[in-house]
């Protein structure tokens, strides 16, 4: 038998997965809720005396720490599992498509809409809040959301391959494991994957928010345990610990995502599937 190339049939499976996802109520409800949460957050922030601080808090904690993981869980976790439960896996396996390609293509098919929904949430909150953040800062916020969706989505997707009830495993990971490590003071926070995602946002965006809010500036100063000299620019302010540096955070996120997907693909290649009742 001729050995399949690594990406043989990737586009076919990707297109199939994308069309299936767009037709589901799950996608409609998730996208609608993401838009609604972003709009409501932005409108609730608008007009507040310290709107910049409130937007900074929303994007850094509720959005990146809770909303985006739930979006990733809803749209990326169950792609391959749906092929098994709905017995459509055989449709792909009779074609020249390897299981690894099928696994990866279904992940990417779910990841694209998840990133779009996460970006819409953050973008609407930023625009409707009326806070005059720069376009570059908005872009960095969207980049942080995309990275968070990708790496957390990879974890959920791998859990769905490893466990029969992947959704339950994902919820436990989000609200127990991440919730435990993420908000514990000290270096133990770095065991949280979401902590590294939030680090990217804070390292890239804090300086701009500090120019718009004295409260943000004050928190950054207190976090550094330093006193600004009279001639020191706010743009030179260093984001305090416990946030990881951008290169370190990217390395952690990228490594975890790759390892998770490799483990998931390895598991799928060795599992027997009951494709008939």
């Amino acid at each position: 038998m001729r050995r399949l190339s690594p990406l043989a049939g990737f586009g076919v499976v990707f297109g199939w997965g994308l069309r299936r996802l767009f037709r589901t109520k799950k996608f409609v409800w998730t996208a609608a809720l993401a838009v609604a949460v972003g709009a409501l957050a932005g409108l609730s922030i608008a007009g507040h005396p310290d709107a910049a601080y409130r937007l900074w808090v929303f994007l850094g904690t509720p959005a990146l720490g809770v909303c985006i993981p739930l979006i990733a869980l809803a749209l990326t976790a169950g792609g391959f599992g749906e092929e098994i439960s709905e017995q459509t896996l055989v449709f792909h396996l009779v074609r020249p498509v390897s299981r690894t390609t099928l696994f990866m293509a279904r992940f990417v098919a779910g990841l694209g809409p998840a990133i779009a929904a996460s970006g819409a949430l953050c973008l609407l909150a930023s625009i409707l809040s009326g806070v005059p953040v720069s376009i570059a800062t908005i872009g960095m916020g969207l980049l942080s959301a995309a990275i968070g969706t990708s790496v957390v989505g990879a974890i959920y997707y791998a859990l769905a391959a490893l466990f029969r009830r992947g959704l339950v495993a994902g919820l436990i990971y989000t609200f127990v494991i991440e919730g435990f490590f993420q908000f514990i003071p000290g270096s133990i926070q770095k065991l949280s994957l979401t902590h590294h995602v939030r680090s990217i946002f804070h390292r890239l965006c804090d300086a701009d928010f500090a120019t718009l809010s004295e409260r943000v500036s004050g928190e950054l100063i207190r976090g550094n345990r330093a006193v600004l000299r009279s001639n020191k620019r706010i743009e030179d302010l260093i984001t305090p610990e416990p946030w990881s540096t951008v290169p370190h955070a990217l390395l952690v996120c990228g490594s975890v995502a790759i390892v998770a997907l490799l483990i998931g693909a390895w598991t799928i290649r060795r599992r027997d599937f009951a494709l008939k009742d």
Side-chain angles (χ1 to χ4, degrees):
M1 180 181 293
R2 182 173 62 88
R3 186 178 180 85
L4 297 174
S5 63
L7 296 179
F10 186 95
V12 175
V13 181
F14 170 78
W16 161 273
L18 205 60
R19 290 191 299 271
R20 288 193 65 186
L21 180 61
F22 284 152
R23 291 197 297 263
T24 61
K25 292 181 180 179
K26 175 178 65 177
F27 169 75
V28 174
W29 278 107
T30 302
L33 286 173
V35 170
V37 170
L40 289 173
L43 292 174
S44 67
I45 293 170
H48 191 273
D50 200 355
Y53 174 77
R54 295 191 67 181
L55 178 62
W56 178 69
V57 170
F58 172 77
L59 294 177
T61 303
L64 289 176
V66 179
C67 297
I68 285 174
L70 291 179
I71 291 173
L73 180 62
L75 297 182
T76 64
F80 192 85
E82 291 171 358
E83 300 289 350
I84 299 172
S85 61
E86 298 179 15
Q87 299 186 359
T88 54
L89 183 62
V90 65
F91 169 78
H92 300 291
L93 296 181
V94 297
R95 303 167 65 90
V97 178
S98 69
R99 288 189 178 186
T100 300
T101 299
L102 173 58
F103 182 78
M104 293 303 301
R106 290 294 278 120
F107 169 70
V108 177
L111 181 62
I115 289 177
S118 299
L121 185 150
C122 295
L123 183 61
L124 283 172
S126 300
I127 292 175
L128 295 180
S129 69
V131 178
V133 290
S134 66
I135 295 178
T137 299
I138 292 176
M140 292 301 100
L142 296 180
L143 175 63
S144 302
I147 293 172
T149 305
S150 301
V151 65
V152 178
I155 293 291
Y156 294 151
Y157 197 65
L159 289 174
L162 292 170
F163 301 102
R164 183 177 297 275
R165 299 194 179 276
L167 179 61
V168 175
L171 289 173
I172 293 174
Y173 172 80
T174 299
F175 292 107
V176 178
I177 299 176
E178 283 289 331
F180 177 76
F181 289 120
Q182 188 177 166
F183 298 106
I184 294 180
S187 59
I188 197 170
Q189 286 188 356
K190 294 182 180 180
L191 295 175
S192 164
L193 188 58
T194 306
H195 167 81
H196 294 285
V197 175
R198 295 173 64 206
S199 294
I200 296 171
F201 168 78
H202 284 290
R203 290 286 183 178
L204 295 177
C205 301
D206 278 2
D208 191 21
F209 278 100
T211 63
L212 300 171
S213 169
E214 292 184 1
R215 188 172 178 183
V216 174
S217 175
E219 289 198 9
L220 298 180
I221 295 170
R222 287 192 298 273
N224 279 299
R225 298 179 181 177
V227 178
L228 288 178
R229 299 187 302 270
S230 59
N231 62 342
K232 188 173 181 63
R233 299 177 304 167
I234 196 68
E235 289 84 356
D236 296 328
L237 196 63
I238 300 174
T239 300
E241 290 290 343
W243 305 121
S244 305
T245 62
V246 173
H248 178 72
L250 289 174
L251 178 62
V252 171
C253 290
S255 300
V256 170
I258 291 171
V259 170
L261 291 174
L262 288 176
I263 292 174
W266 180 84
T267 302
I268 291 300
R269 288 178 59 185
R270 283 158 177 76
R271 178 176 297 177
D272 292 328
F273 299 103
L275 301 178
K276 295 182 180 181
D277 292 329

